[in-house]
Amino acid sequence: MAVRKTYLAVIGTALMLGGCSFSSEALWPTLAGEEETTQQNVVANQPVGADAITSYDVAASTEPLTGVSQTGTFVGTKVENMQQELNRLKSALSNHSNELQQLRGQTVAHSQAYHGTVAAISARLQVGTTPGNPVLVQQWNTAQSELDRVNDDIAALNSLANKVAADSTLSTFLLESVRSAYQVSGAVDEDHRQLALLEDETNRTTVLIDRLLNEISESLARQTSYVSTERANLNALALAVKNGEIFGDSLSKRVFQSQAAPASSGQRMVAAPSDRPLVVIRFDTASVKYEQALYNAVNRVLERRPQASFDVVAVTPNRGTPAQVALNANKSKRNAQAVLRSLTDMGMPSSRVRASDATSASVSANEVHVFVR
C-alpha cells in the first residue's frame, strides 16, 4: 500500500508540474519565435535581454482579427469597417516593433565598432606614442564617424517614436468608436457580441502600443545620454592623441555623476576660492607639457568636491618697462586661454571655469595659476 501511495504521489506531482507549465504558457504567452530570435541574437554576438527583444507578445497579438460575420445591419457594417481599421493598426504595430529591433541591432553593431576603435587608441596611448601620431588621428576620425552612426540611429528612433505616437492616437479613437457603437439603435445580439470581441482586441492592441512607445522613449533617453557622454570622451581623447599620452575618463563624467547624486537634506556646500593655487604652470620655455599634471590635480579635486569650480589666472611678472610688462601680459593671457581650452577639452564645462589676469613681483616668468573655488 505504501508503495502504491508513493507511486500515485509521483504521478500527481508530474501532472501538477505539467499543469503549471500549461497554465503559465496560457496566462503568460511567450513571444512567437522567441527561442529562434534568442538563438539568432547569440549568433550575431548581440546582447539578449530588454535591449535585444521586446518584452511582450507582439507577434501573437498582431494577428489579423477574424470571426466577424456579416449581419446586414448598420451596426454590423460599422463593425466590419472597424475590424479593417484594427487589422491595419495591428499590421503597423508589428512593422514598428520589427523596426525597433532592427534599430537596436544597428546601434549595438555601431557601438561595438566605436568602442573597439576607442580601445585601440587607448591601448596605443597607454604604452606611449608620439604626439599627434597620424595613425591614431585616423583612428580617432573613424571613431567619430562610428559615433555619428549611433547618432543617426537616434534620429531614426525618434522618427519611429512619432509613428508609434500616431498609432496610439488612432487606437484611442478606434476604441472610443467601438464603445460608441453600443449606443446605436438597430443592432442585433450578434452585433454586440462582435463589438465586445472588437473592444477586447482594440484594448489589447492599445496596451501594446503604449508599451512599445514607452520602450522607444526609454531607449531615446538612454542613447541620447550615451552619445553626449561619448562626445565628451572623444574630446578628451583628442587632446590625449595630440599630446601622445593618455589622461583618463572625461571630467564631464564626474560632473554628470555629481549632479545626478541627491543632495543631503539640510546641508549646503558653499565653494570659496582657496588661497593657495591648485596648480602652478610656469611658461619659461617654448613648449610646456602641463596637461597630464593638470588633469590629475583637477580629477583629485572632483573626487573630493564634485561641485568644485576653478579659476584660471594669468600671472605676469611686474618687472621691466611698461612695454615689456604689456607684452608679457598678452603672452600670459594667451597661456591662460590655452589652459582654459585644455580643461574644456578634458570635459570640464566652461560654466565652471573662469579666467582672469594679475601681475606679481614675486614671479620671474609668465605663469598660470589654477585655483579651486
Side-chain angles (χ1 to χ4, degrees):
M1 180 65 67
V3 174
R4 184 179 179 184
K5 289 182 178 179
T6 303
Y7 180 74
L8 291 177
V10 172
I11 294 178
T13 302
L15 291 175
M16 291 176 63
L17 290 175
C20 289
S21 176
F22 178 78
S23 299
S24 176
E25 292 176 359
L27 293 175
W28 305 101
T30 57
L31 281 172
E34 180 178 354
E35 295 181 358
E36 292 79 4
T37 303
T38 303
Q39 293 174 358
Q40 291 174 1
N41 287 336
V42 171
V43 172
N45 293 324
Q46 296 180 2
V48 179
D51 290 336
I53 57 175
T54 43
S55 58
Y56 46 86
D57 190 1
V58 172
S61 300
T62 53
E63 292 294 329
L65 177 63
T66 57
V68 176
S69 58
Q70 297 180 355
T71 60
T73 63
F74 174 76
V75 176
T77 302
K78 295 287 292 182
V79 169
E80 292 178 16
N81 294 334
M82 288 185 290
Q83 177 198 12
Q84 296 175 1
E85 290 294 333
L86 178 59
N87 288 336
R88 281 194 288 267
L89 187 62
K90 283 172 170 280
S91 178
L93 173 61
S94 179
N95 293 334
H96 295 157
S97 177
N98 293 333
E99 186 177 352
L100 175 60
Q101 304 316 312
Q102 293 175 0
L103 285 175
R104 281 174 169 169
Q106 291 179 8
T107 303
V108 168
H110 295 157
S111 298
Q112 287 177 342
Y114 164 76
H115 285 289
T117 306
V118 169
I121 298 174
S122 300
R124 185 63 181 272
L125 290 172
Q126 186 68 33
V127 299
T129 184
T130 57
N133 189 325
V135 176
L136 298 187
V137 172
Q138 182 179 1
Q139 289 179 335
W140 188 91
N141 292 331
T142 301
Q144 188 179 40
S145 299
E146 290 162 349
L147 191 60
D148 288 339
R149 294 190 183 97
V150 177
N151 197 50
D152 293 340
D153 294 336
I154 294 177
L157 197 62
N158 189 56
S159 176
L160 178 61
N162 294 332
K163 297 177 184 177
V164 177
D167 292 343
S168 179
T169 303
L170 179 58
S171 66
T172 302
F173 173 76
L174 183 59
L175 185 59
E176 293 176 354
S177 300
V178 172
R179 290 171 178 172
S180 300
Y182 283 104
Q183 309 301 324
V184 178
S185 62
V188 296
D189 291 340
E190 179 63 18
D191 290 333
H192 279 201
R193 186 193 70 81
Q194 294 178 1
L195 280 174
L197 177 62
L198 193 60
E199 182 181 9
D200 291 343
E201 286 296 319
T202 306
N203 265 320
R204 187 178 184 183
T205 304
T206 301
V207 170
L208 294 178
I209 292 175
D210 291 341
R211 288 179 179 175
L212 182 61
L213 189 59
N214 289 336
E215 283 200 7
I216 295 175
S217 299
E218 292 174 359
S219 295
L220 271 173
R222 184 169 53 250
Q223 296 301 328
T224 302
S225 175
Y226 162 80
V227 170
S228 177
T229 301
E230 291 305 320
R231 291 289 186 196
N233 289 335
L234 270 183
N235 290 336
L237 193 61
L239 183 61
V241 171
K242 176 183 176 182
N243 293 279
E245 56 181 351
I246 193 169
F247 300 128
D249 291 336
S250 173
L251 295 177
S252 64
K253 184 177 181 181
R254 293 193 178 278
V255 174
F256 173 78
Q257 291 175 346
S258 65
Q259 291 176 350
S264 57
S265 59
Q267 295 182 359
R268 183 179 179 184
M269 295 181 60
V270 179
S274 58
D275 296 332
R276 298 178 57 185
L278 172 68
V279 178
V280 175
I281 306 173
R282 183 173 292 105
F283 289 89
D284 52 358
T285 61
S287 178
V288 179
K289 291 185 175 298
Y290 60 86
E291 286 87 354
Q292 185 67 66
L294 177 64
Y295 174 87
N296 292 338
V298 172
N299 191 41
R300 285 195 299 267
V301 171
L302 292 177
E303 288 178 354
R304 298 190 303 267
R305 293 173 51 187
Q307 301 295 338
S309 298
F310 301 89
D311 287 329
V312 178
V313 181
V315 181
T316 306
N318 190 12
R319 298 177 182 178
T321 63
Q324 290 176 337
V325 173
L327 289 175
N328 288 332
N330 290 333
K331 292 180 181 179
S332 187
K333 289 179 182 178
R334 288 196 296 269
N335 294 335
Q337 291 295 328
V339 174
L340 185 64
R341 284 194 300 271
S342 297
L343 282 173
T344 55
D345 288 342
M346 292 173 185
M348 176 62 61
S350 57
S351 59
R352 296 176 62 174
V353 185
R354 64 186 183 186
S356 60
D357 62 281
T359 58
S360 174
S362 61
V363 299
S364 59
N366 290 336
E367 295 180 354
V368 172
H369 296 183
V370 179
F371 295 87
V372 181
R373 56 181 170 87

